[in-house]
Amino acid sequence: MARLSWITFVVGLSLLCLSAQAEQVKAEPRLPIIDMHLHAFGWDEYGNPPPPNEITGKRPRARSNDAAMAATLVEMERHGIVLAVASGPLEHVARWRDAAPERILGGAYTGSRDALPEIAHLRRLVASGEVRILGELGLQYQGLAATDPSLRDYFALAEELDVPVAIHTGLGDSGMPYGCCPRFRTALGRPSLMEDVLVRHPSLRVYLMHAGYPYLAETKALLYIYPQLYVDVAVINWALPRPEFHAYLRALVDAGFSDRIMFGSDQMIWPEAIGMAIAGIESATFLSEEQKRAIFFGNAARFLRLSAERTERLHHQAGDSSTSLRGIDDVVHTHMADRRIPGASVAIINGEYEARTSAYGTAVIQHDVPAKVDTVYEIASLTKQFTAVAVLMLVDEGKLDLDHPIGHYIASAPKKWHSITLRHLLTHTAGLASEDTEFASLKNDWRRFSTRELMLASAVEDPITNAPGERFDYTSGGYFLAALAIEKASGMTYRDFMRQRIFEPLGMDRTLLQDELKIIPDEARGYSIKDGELVNIWRDAVEEVAGGWGMFSNIPDLIRWDRALRDRELLSGESYQAMFSPVELSDGTRFRYGLGWWLPERNGIPYQYHNGVTGTEVLRIPSLGLTVIVLTNLGRSLSVGSGEANPWGLADKIAGVLVPEFALETRDLPLSDHELNAYAGRWKFGYGEARFFARDGHLWIEDANGTDPMLYQGRDTFGFEGDAERLVFSRSPNGRVTAASWINETSQDDSGKRNDRENH
């Protein structure tokens, strides 16, 4: 299907004002924060799997360096951290700087395993801007004191180049001398060991990481004698019991040093530590707002000697960050109004922190029932990913094989199916009838209840359109057959398998399969648009077994589902990889669809996507830890036909707000009607015929899906506003436009040529 891209549907519809009910506190304007103590570590810095956060018990979900970095950057964005000192292995620090050059100050790190670069190399790193801080210097882990002769040249270089020094002080992990760091000694964490360095280098800017805890008296003495000395309160602001941290912090403040205390998180591999560290400061009721602002920003800005211009820019940056979530609400309001969507529920899962959930508009127009986060929607083709996981669970158990012919699992499979495999079914490459023509015998007289026997008999009657593996043709019938294979291999009905093996273990207690007789609390009523008016969607049938559609769910349950995918709770690594790998056609072409998921790429960012005909969609960017779930009650059905309803594309827009590099940009370059007439005429595509004509400076398309303006992108390419799909025309050697191809983010979708009956 070309004209209606399976990736995103965009059609302009008339304006309808809708109110939103957001079930979460909206983001308030924030002031900027500077994190003076953060780490650019690999995801497996402390082992594989990573250990849980000792305070929260949460284990990091990242299983790649990029995912670990992205999760932290998301948390920084979320909390308004506009600048951070990130230390770690130099190769990791370089990646972080490349990812967020305006936000990351690189630190030269030494810890239990990492040595400082040689002096000459360090000088070059400072000159290039790759290193801005000498630290964290975790000398204690190596059994060294700051007075060790091996460090003299480093401190001298730091003073010469005016590079601040960040020195680890205080304690380490329990049992450290018996594990990673046999030379670790508690006494080496005493702040007073820095005094000779401060005397020898009076111009050296130094800050004591962890504020010298628990050596309060020494820390206060050094702060009193050496005015160039500052402290950060990293890790003690979230790892210590809150009363203990507040007592230590208050002692420093009461001693008159509130203007030299800086915020730090000591985020290592647990991004939630950033929010916990901020809460440690915010909850200190003895601090005035001015003192909190100094700790969060002002003291660090002074220590780092940030210019007034840079300081102002960072404040603007924080303002931009704080408006991002409010910007999402604006995007949702506008999209719903443009597309006439009555109600929607939305979830944004960003990295490690809890999902932001919101609800907007009306779930049931007839009774003015507002949409809620808990509202249950029919999710249509999002069902396919559940069916795919069920198949892969049985593959992991040795009960199914993706590459066995389906006749092994469906006894009555006709001979024409003999070379079709489960993989073909799940990747839409089986050669079965397309979604528009499948189950033809039932569509002519669809029963109110269709048994598996009726549906199987109808599927057998449908023709085979091409050899298995030859081409991609989206279908739901393949997933129905896969559901029958699940029943055969498991000895359970499809419904029971889903409930007992997936829904119940994951706590998805509001998710169920289609049941005409069941009363579903908080269910949204389905609507569509016909002849310009909102109408009820009449569900044409209830299927005993569907596989490709028929599931109902809500936002909280789909958040649980997303986290099960992130944590790979249900599948082996091999099966997980299979689900998210593009299918390879028989001619070697790789088509960007896996098992129940589209696998597009935009601006170099791979992502995973699927939508449902009832107005639902899920978009995931694994490399950034981002998932956007959108459930609406505006869709299409057989009773309305293709209709005028077009709710899709909201997940894409939300992701674009959160990740500007991902935002879809559609240009509108000028062409005269004379130039546009070169493309005009009747064209024949695989999905049907289309007529193109020039009007008011745009090329218009008229086909079975309606009449819409197209926007010129340059180089004989046209697109639709907010749509990733493009129509690329080709010219003959004499310059005449002779061919065209629909291309989207999955692959080339459909090619066409002029229809000789009408040529312009």
Side-chain angles (χ1 to χ4, degrees):
M1 183 174 182
R3 165 83 155 85
L4 285 176
S5 166
W6 291 106
I7 296 301
T8 177
F9 302 76
V10 180
V11 176
L13 296 174
S14 57
L15 184 66
L16 176 67
C17 293
L18 294 170
S19 62
Q21 172 204 1
E23 295 201 343
Q24 173 150 336
V25 177
K26 294 183 178 179
E28 296 298 329
R30 294 171 295 181
L31 293 172
I33 297 175
I34 298 176
D35 190 334
M36 292 296 292
H37 191 158
L38 187 142
H39 289 290
F41 284 159
W43 71 275
D44 55 354
E45 174 73 13
Y46 300 117
N48 180 9
N53 182 317
E54 291 184 0
I55 306 303
T56 66
K58 290 177 60 177
R59 192 182 299 275
R61 294 191 177 92
R63 292 299 183 270
S64 72
N65 292 334
D66 284 343
M69 175 181 67
T72 299
L73 292 177
V74 163
E75 284 294 276
M76 291 170 63
E77 176 78 14
R78 179 191 182 208
H79 291 290
I81 294 177
V82 295
L83 198 62
V85 174
S87 65
L90 288 175
E91 63 273 18
H92 291 315
V93 173
R95 286 191 313 102
W96 286 53
R97 285 184 63 258
D98 289 343
E102 294 297 315
R103 202 178 291 255
I104 298 298
L105 299 178
Y109 172 79
T110 180
S112 60
R113 299 188 303 270
D114 303 275
L116 287 172
E118 294 181 355
I119 288 291
H121 186 203
L122 180 59
R123 182 182 290 274
R124 290 193 295 270
L125 291 171
V126 172
S128 67
E130 296 175 67
V131 166
R132 302 288 298 277
I133 304 289
L134 181 59
E136 178 181 8
L137 300 183
L139 306 177
Q140 185 180 20
Y141 302 124
Q142 300 177 4
L144 298 176
T147 53
D148 192 274
S150 65
L151 298 166
R152 288 177 182 170
D153 290 344
Y154 288 98
F155 292 130
L157 181 67
E159 185 177 36
E160 174 195 343
L161 301 179
D162 194 25
V163 174
V165 171
I167 181 82
H168 171 91
T169 61
L171 304 177
D173 291 337
S174 176
M176 187 166 278
Y178 309 117
C180 69
C181 311
R183 295 183 179 180
F184 180 96
R185 295 296 182 269
T186 302
L188 293 174
R190 302 184 74 95
S192 59
L193 294 176
M194 275 300 293
E195 186 164 20
D196 284 351
V197 176
L198 292 167
V199 170
R200 189 178 298 113
H201 303 285
S203 300
L204 188 63
R205 287 182 283 161
V206 178
Y207 64 104
L208 305 178
M209 292 179 149
H210 316 299
Y213 179 87
Y215 304 107
L216 177 61
E218 289 187 18
T219 301
K220 289 197 294 183
L222 288 174
L223 287 168
Y224 182 81
I225 298 297
Y226 301 100
Q228 73 271 36
L229 184 67
Y230 283 60
V231 300
D232 79 36
V233 289
V235 90
I236 64 173
N237 51 13
W238 61 271
L240 287 180
R242 187 64 57 77
E244 173 73 3
F245 166 61
H246 281 175
Y248 194 84
L249 176 63
R250 183 163 194 165
L252 292 175
V253 171
D254 288 347
F257 302 121
S258 62
D259 60 344
R260 284 192 275 160
I261 302 169
M262 302 185 295
F263 172 78
S265 66
D266 200 8
Q267 197 301 99
M268 291 165 270
I269 61 169
W270 305 285
E272 71 272 14
I274 292 173
M276 297 166 67
I278 292 172
I281 303 296
E282 291 286 11
S283 60
T285 56
F286 54 86
L287 293 175
S288 68
E289 286 304 312
E290 291 76 15
Q291 288 172 323
K292 289 179 182 179
R293 288 312 316 147
I295 292 171
F296 279 132
F297 185 85
N299 296 342
R302 186 187 325 110
F303 178 82
L304 294 170
R305 297 177 182 166
L306 301 182
S307 67
E309 179 184 0
R310 181 78 184 275
T311 299
E312 183 178 0
R313 191 162 69 245
L314 292 176
H315 275 82
H316 283 303
Q317 184 177 327
D320 292 343
S321 299
S322 69
T323 59
S324 62
L325 291 182
R326 294 197 306 276
I328 289 170
D329 286 333
D330 293 341
V331 165
V332 174
H333 283 291
T334 300
H335 185 88
M336 291 179 66
D338 286 347
R339 309 300 175 87
R340 299 181 64 184
I341 298 171
S345 301
V346 175
I348 301 167
I349 308 167
N350 245 347
E352 299 290 322
Y353 69 80
E354 295 301 315
R356 179 189 192 261
T357 58
S358 302
Y360 308 82
T362 307
V364 182
I365 294 174
Q366 288 88 332
H367 303 291
D368 197 25
V369 178
K372 302 185 298 182
V373 169
D374 290 337
T375 297
V376 176
Y377 298 81
E378 186 176 0
I379 65 173
S381 284
L382 299 189
T383 306
K384 290 179 171 66
Q385 60 196 254
F386 288 85
T387 300
V389 166
V391 168
L392 290 169
M393 290 171 69
L394 293 168
V395 168
D396 286 340
E397 296 169 11
K399 297 177 180 179
L400 287 176
D401 189 312
L402 287 176
D403 298 311
H404 277 179
I406 60 173
H408 287 197
Y409 313 114
I410 301 174
S412 57
K415 185 177 180 180
K416 61 184 178 181
W417 292 355
H418 76 280
S419 57
I420 296 175
T421 66
L422 276 173
R423 191 184 302 275
H424 290 138
L425 296 179
L426 298 180
T427 58
H428 306 286
T429 59
L432 300 175
S434 69
E435 190 171 52
D436 293 336
T437 60
E438 63 189 352
F439 301 115
S441 64
L442 290 180
K443 285 180 179 175
N444 292 333
D445 183 24
W446 201 280
R447 271 76 167 181
R448 290 296 296 158
F449 184 84
S450 293
T451 64
R452 58 175 55 78
E453 290 79 17
L454 281 171
M455 292 183 68
L456 180 58
S458 182
V460 169
E461 291 181 22
D462 289 338
I464 294 293
T465 60
N466 54 265
E470 185 175 280
R471 64 189 294 262
F472 178 95
D473 202 348
Y474 189 87
T475 172
S476 289
Y479 277 75
F480 161 68
L481 298 179
L484 297 185
I486 291 169
E487 293 189 329
K488 173 68 174 179
S490 67
M492 305 166 68
T493 66
Y494 176 76
R495 290 174 180 272
D496 286 345
F497 186 94
M498 288 294 174
R499 185 180 69 255
Q500 296 177 28
R501 296 293 306 276
I502 296 180
F503 302 159
E504 290 177 356
L506 296 182
M508 300 175 65
D509 54 6
R510 302 297 303 279
T511 302
L512 70 159
L513 289 163
Q514 193 175 16
D515 185 338
E516 188 179 45
L517 300 179
K518 187 175 182 64
I519 296 172
I520 304 176
D522 299 317
E523 180 186 0
R525 185 72 178 262
Y527 302 96
S528 192
I529 298 175
K530 188 173 184 179
D531 299 329
E533 299 293 331
L534 277 172
V535 297
N536 291 313
I537 282 184
W538 172 50
R539 288 291 155 225
D540 304 87
V542 177
E543 294 77 24
E544 187 177 15
V545 180
W549 67 88
M551 193 173 289
F552 290 73
S553 192
N554 67 2
I555 287 293
D557 276 9
L558 291 178
I559 291 172
R560 296 182 182 98
W561 172 246
D562 179 75
R563 289 188 172 143
L565 293 177
R566 290 175 184 235
D567 295 343
R568 306 185 185 188
E569 292 183 30
L570 300 174
L571 299 178
S572 67
E574 183 179 356
S575 287
Y576 185 89
Q577 184 68 28
M579 183 164 62
F580 293 113
S581 294
V583 60
E584 184 171 329
L585 303 180
S586 54
D587 64 359
T589 302
R590 291 177 69 81
F591 194 89
R592 289 185 175 274
Y593 193 94
L595 309 180
W597 287 93
W598 292 96
L599 306 172
E601 181 176 308
R602 179 184 304 160
N603 301 333
I605 302 175
Y607 66 102
Q608 302 158 358
Y609 178 84
H610 219 290
N611 56 21
V613 72
T614 50
T616 57
E617 51 187 344
V618 176
L619 187 153
R620 307 176 78 233
I621 308 179
S623 64
L624 301 179
L626 173 66
T627 299
V628 180
I629 304 168
V630 175
L631 306 179
T632 82
N633 57 351
L634 181 72
R636 297 173 178 167
S637 74
L638 291 175
S639 62
V640 180
S642 63
E644 305 158 45
N646 180 24
W648 303 277
L650 181 53
D652 191 301
K653 293 176 181 177
I654 292 172
V657 172
L658 294 168
V659 186
E661 298 82 2
F662 184 76
L664 180 66
E665 293 186 7
T666 304
R667 298 184 291 178
D668 187 8
L669 300 177
L671 280 182
S672 68
D673 285 358
H674 175 74
E675 292 171 306
L676 291 168
N677 277 327
Y679 310 99
R682 294 190 181 276
W683 291 72
K684 183 70 174 178
F685 295 95
Y687 76 94
E689 191 172 81
R691 185 173 77 91
F692 296 94
F693 59 93
R695 187 174 72 193
D696 301 329
H698 286 98
L699 186 69
W700 288 69
I701 181 172
E702 180 182 31
D703 62 6
N705 301 295
T707 303
D708 298 290
M710 304 188 74
L711 306 179
Y712 184 55
Q713 306 301 298
R715 296 179 180 273
D716 293 321
T717 301
F718 293 82
F720 300 96
E721 178 64 38
D723 196 330
E725 191 169 43
R726 297 289 184 261
L727 178 61
V728 181
F729 290 94
S730 301
R731 295 177 183 267
S732 65
N734 65 8
R736 183 173 178 270
V737 176
T738 55
S741 294
W742 289 101
I743 296 176
N744 58 39
E745 291 175 338
T746 56
S747 70
Q748 181 168 313
D749 194 16
D750 197 359
S751 296
K753 60 182 181 179
R754 288 186 182 276
N755 190 323
D756 289 337
R757 290 178 300 167
E758 180 178 336
N759 252 330
H760 291 274

